[in-house]
Amino acid sequence: MQKIRSFQARWGRMPSYSELQDLFQFASKNAAYKLAKRLISEGHLQADETGRLKSRWVLPFAGQVVAGFPSPAEEELVDVMSLDQYLIRRPEASFLLKVTGDSMIEGGILPGDLVIIERGKSPKSGDIVLAQIDREWTLKYYKKEGKTVSLVAGNPKYPVLHPKEELVVAGVVGAVVRRYR
């Protein structure tokens, strides 16, 4: 798996079966196919509908930790977890955006964070949505009262937005990803 991870880190994509053959110095492409099939059956990789490989990296899942008062903890490997499986419910309808601006800081979304947007989901009042309001894109809380819809920032220095002409909700924020270093 390390060779495949290194390939993906270097090239930004999963290797083809021919590249798997070269990577593992197999004599045939069929051997690469068999390796991929085994890794897929073990849950390390996925293939899309065309047969191209997709990553499914899993990390050791070591239980939970208390963020309040410290308590005794035991380190044990509970399971493994795939971050994409945890963060993305519908990969075919999801995409990432990098956040700029500070209008959602009280919603836990900071400048530089990545948000995973899920398309095709009807927003509920209180959801954070990616919306186009009067031809400008923004990320805000969706608020619906009766037939009135507004977009509310998660920062009191920004006004509540009411569409004058048009409001298009492109998707609902499903997850936030932040790097600390």
Side-chain angles (χ1 to χ4, degrees), residues 78-154:
V78 175
D79 202 348
V80 294
M81 179 181 281
S82 162
L83 286 179
D84 57 349
Q85 264 189 324
Y86 178 71
L87 296 174
I88 305 168
R89 291 188 187 111
R90 297 179 28 222
E92 72 284 357
S94 300
F95 60 95
L96 284 168
L97 285 175
K98 188 171 189 174
V99 176
T100 61
D102 63 354
S103 75
M104 293 306 295
I105 57 173
E106 290 183 4
I109 301 174
L110 304 178
D113 286 353
L114 295 175
V115 289
I116 298 172
I117 307 291
E118 190 174 328
R119 291 183 295 235
K121 194 172 183 179
S122 298
K124 296 178 187 164
S125 210
D127 282 346
I128 298 174
V129 298
L130 170 67
Q132 186 181 37
I133 183 168
D134 300 329
R135 298 190 182 119
E136 295 187 16
W137 289 98
T138 190
L139 197 68
K140 299 285 186 283
Y141 285 111
Y142 179 86
K143 186 175 179 184
K144 185 170 184 179
E145 293 175 321
K147 292 186 176 188
T148 304
V149 174
S150 55
L151 297 177
V152 180

Side-chain angles (χ1 to χ4, degrees), residues 2 4-5 10 24 28 34 40 69 72 93 130 150:
Q2 187 57 45
I4 297 173
R5 286 182 183 197
R10 180 173 181 198
F24 289 92
S28 71
K34 286 180 180 177
I40 290 169
F69 293 105
L130 170 67
S150 55

